[in-house]
Amino acid sequence: MTKPEWRSYAHDDIAPKDRYKLMSGAIVPRPIALVTTISPEGILNAAPISFFNCLSADPGILALGVETKEDGSIKDTAANIRRTGEFTVNMVSAAMFNAMRICSQTLPPEEDEIALSGLTPLPSISVAPPRLEESPVAFECEHHTTLETSASRQIVLGKVKHIHFRADVIDTEKAYIHQDRMNLIGRMSGPGYVRLNDIFTELEG
């Protein structure tokens, strides 16, 4: 058997733009958080974040990797979390794809992405930012910690306060999630996405 060839790079020798392309292209698929926040002035915001995951279940901690804008200023999501201490993570199903893409546009802070996308806000229980009716699962979070990793990136940790499941995706007696019924999508590199319904427990061949 021919041994594979390798290409190895020192992290600091890779330009940040290329580093992003290499890492986001290799660490796939990534779940997508459609994060809803409210500014202190009461303006709703929704933004998809694919540098996102669950880091702990005891307590429940979710992590968001939020980039700054091209001019170095903080994006609305991070700014609202910093100022209010609250956010809601809505998991993105395939049916939400087009609306999620609308929310990914760069808009003025006073623009309501939820209204523009046609998504439906529902009242949260523990926090002010709404959850989205179209999302099969939503996590209400309070701000825990923000790590200022660089001038271009903040890692926001949120402590889960309340979880909402659409009734058909959860077996409440067994605390079991029917993942196929959520029909979630994940982020690949560049413009690519993937459906996450090819689920298996063993793989042959």
Side-chain angles (χ1 to χ4, degrees), residues 33-37 45-49 64 77 81 87-90:
L34 186 50
V35 181
T36 51
T37 58
N45 179 268
I49 296 176
L64 309 174
T77 297
I81 294 172
F87 62 97
T88 297
V89 167
N90 303 273

Side-chain angles (χ1 to χ4, degrees), residues 35-68:
V35 181
T36 51
T37 58
I38 300 180
S39 73
E41 295 76 29
I43 300 171
L44 292 177
N45 179 268
I49 296 176
S50 64
F51 276 43
F52 153 70
N53 221 308
C54 171
L55 298 189
S56 168
D58 186 19
I61 298 290
L62 304 185
L64 309 174
V66 186
E67 285 185 303
T68 57

Side-chain angles (χ1 to χ4, degrees), residues 33-37 44-48 88-93 96 99-100 103 112-115 117-124 129-140 164 166:
L34 186 50
V35 181
T36 51
T37 58
L44 292 177
N45 179 268
T88 297
V89 167
N90 303 273
M91 303 304 294
V92 179
S93 69
M96 298 169 63
M100 181 271 295
C103 292
D112 180 349
E113 290 88 354
I114 298 176
S117 68
L119 293 169
T120 310
L122 295 176
S124 292
R131 58 192 175 98
L132 300 173
E133 183 175 38
E134 292 79 5
S135 177
V137 183
F139 300 86
E140 299 179 17
H164 303 271
R166 197 178 65 212

Side-chain angles (χ1 to χ4, degrees), residues 2 22-23 33 115 119 127 129 142 167 191 195 205:
T2 303
L22 293 174
M23 293 187 70
L119 293 169
V127 299
E142 67 177 12
R195 297 177 187 268

